[in-house]
Amino acid sequence: NSQPFVFFHLRKAGGSTMRQQLHDAAVGNQISRGIACFDEIECDSYDPPPEYGPAVAVQGGHLYWPKMEMYARRHQTKFAAHETDPASPAPFSCLVQLRKTVSRVRSCWDYRMIEEGRTYGYMYKKAGSMSASDWSRMLPKTYSMYGRGCNNEAARILSNSGRGELEINSLKPDHASFIPVLDTTLKHMSQCVVTLMERCDDNMKVIEHFMPWFAPYYNCSIKLNQGTVIEDSAVEPGADEIIANNLIDE
């Protein structure tokens, strides 16, 4: 396949493990790669490689769809002036891994606001101690040290509005932009192979079919970058409020 392959890493959805295995697959298949946290690429990297460098075959990280699409289109046209139909599919193949919404948000909260907070001097309640009113009040307006919230992660990465963090993290159905952002997120996601973190065996079948070059390196029983915060409770308090703040993901 002459088109690049992109792994769009949604935070706290098993993406660190996927990036490691994609890196191993690229090395094993001797193909060029640009994957966050490897080969001197910063983990806190949100953009594709420099546009005027050689095209990179396998890319992965917290990449934003619009930037990645422009990168791929410019390489496709060899940087010549061109016309592009906005409705045409992006010139790359891609993978997105999802995670059940409540689980992902709780994991994001405990990792970003608690685990990292201990290191950098700020502290919130653990997810297991948050009430429904806590979630309702804090989720739309609380941001990590990286300036990212925990809401609407699929829209953050896959819509055309992902860098508008204040909008994305507070986006609900009563916002004028909700439907356009939802439509764009779904349109872009429909162009990718989609896996679900909780469905390991099904993921393997999907990857074997669509990405045979990657299948020998994929092992969803391996889990990297897991949080160290111990839950206060196995119960999911405020689940309805979490979902209400993440209806695009849900």
Side-chain angles (χ1 to χ4, degrees):
N1 189 345
S2 60
Q3 293 186 341
F5 170 86
V6 186
F7 170 53
F8 289 102
H9 179 179
L10 276 58
R11 295 164 182 82
K12 308 314 296 176
S16 296
T17 304
M18 194 75 80
R19 287 203 317 248
Q20 173 70 66
Q21 294 170 353
L22 282 168
H23 175 266
D24 294 345
V27 172
N29 286 282
Q30 298 183 323
I31 49 183
S32 60
R33 58 200 178 271
I35 300 172
C37 296
F38 297 95
D39 304 312
E40 301 184 353
I41 297 176
E42 294 289 336
C43 295
D44 189 20
S45 177
Y46 308 106
D47 295 310
E51 289 184 350
Y52 290 103
V56 177
V58 176
Q59 300 185 43
H62 302 307
L63 300 167
Y64 292 95
W65 184 284
K67 189 82 172 183
M68 193 64 241
E69 181 171 2
M70 184 57 66
Y71 172 90
R73 290 198 186 282
R74 296 196 74 196
H75 276 280
Q76 182 187 48
T77 60
K78 302 186 186 303
F79 306 103
H82 62 284
E83 296 181 7
T84 295
D85 179 358
S88 64
F92 52 70
S93 57
C94 49
L95 170 67
V96 176
Q97 176 149 292
L98 305 179
R99 180 177 181 178
K100 291 181 179 179
T101 302
V102 173
S103 174
R104 184 197 62 76
V105 171
R106 285 165 58 93
S107 176
C108 173
W109 185 270
D110 279 343
Y111 187 75
R112 296 299 187 197
M113 311 307 171
I114 306 300
E115 188 169 334
E116 291 180 341
R118 289 172 179 164
T119 303
Y120 293 95
Y122 58 90
M123 193 71 172
Y124 293 94
K125 293 180 183 178
K126 294 180 184 179
S129 300
M130 296 273 281
S131 66
S133 61
D134 287 334
W135 286 119
S136 179
R137 178 174 57 87
M138 299 182 73
L139 266 180
K141 64 179 185 180
T142 305
Y143 298 86
S144 72
M145 57 179 284
Y146 299 104
R148 305 311 187 283
C150 289
N151 287 339
N152 297 317
E153 181 66 12
R156 181 174 288 106
I157 295 296
L158 299 175
S159 77
N160 290 335
S161 305
R163 290 188 185 265
E165 182 61 32
L166 295 179
E167 175 186 14
I168 288 295
N169 200 54
S170 61
L171 197 58
K172 288 187 175 181
D174 58 348
H175 293 202
S177 59
F178 181 86
I179 294 300
V181 170
L182 174 61
D183 286 347
T184 304
T185 301
L186 293 175
K187 172 192 169 186
H188 291 164
M189 188 184 297
S190 72
Q191 299 177 40
C192 300
V193 173
V194 179
T195 57
L196 183 63
M197 193 182 85
E198 293 87 350
R199 296 179 63 174
C200 177
D201 292 341
D202 290 335
N203 294 345
M204 177 58 79
K205 294 174 184 176
V206 168
I207 287 171
E208 286 176 342
H209 180 78
F210 289 102
M211 294 177 286
W213 60 273
F214 177 41
Y217 300 87
Y218 177 72
N219 182 349
C220 54
S221 66
I222 298 173
K223 297 179 180 180
L224 303 177
N225 200 28
Q226 295 186 84
T228 60
V229 174
I230 298 174
E231 289 284 1
D232 294 327
S233 169
V235 180
E236 296 186 344
D240 289 345
E241 291 298 330
I242 292 174
I243 290 172
N245 279 278
N246 286 272
L247 286 174
I248 287 184
D249 281 9
E250 185 67 12

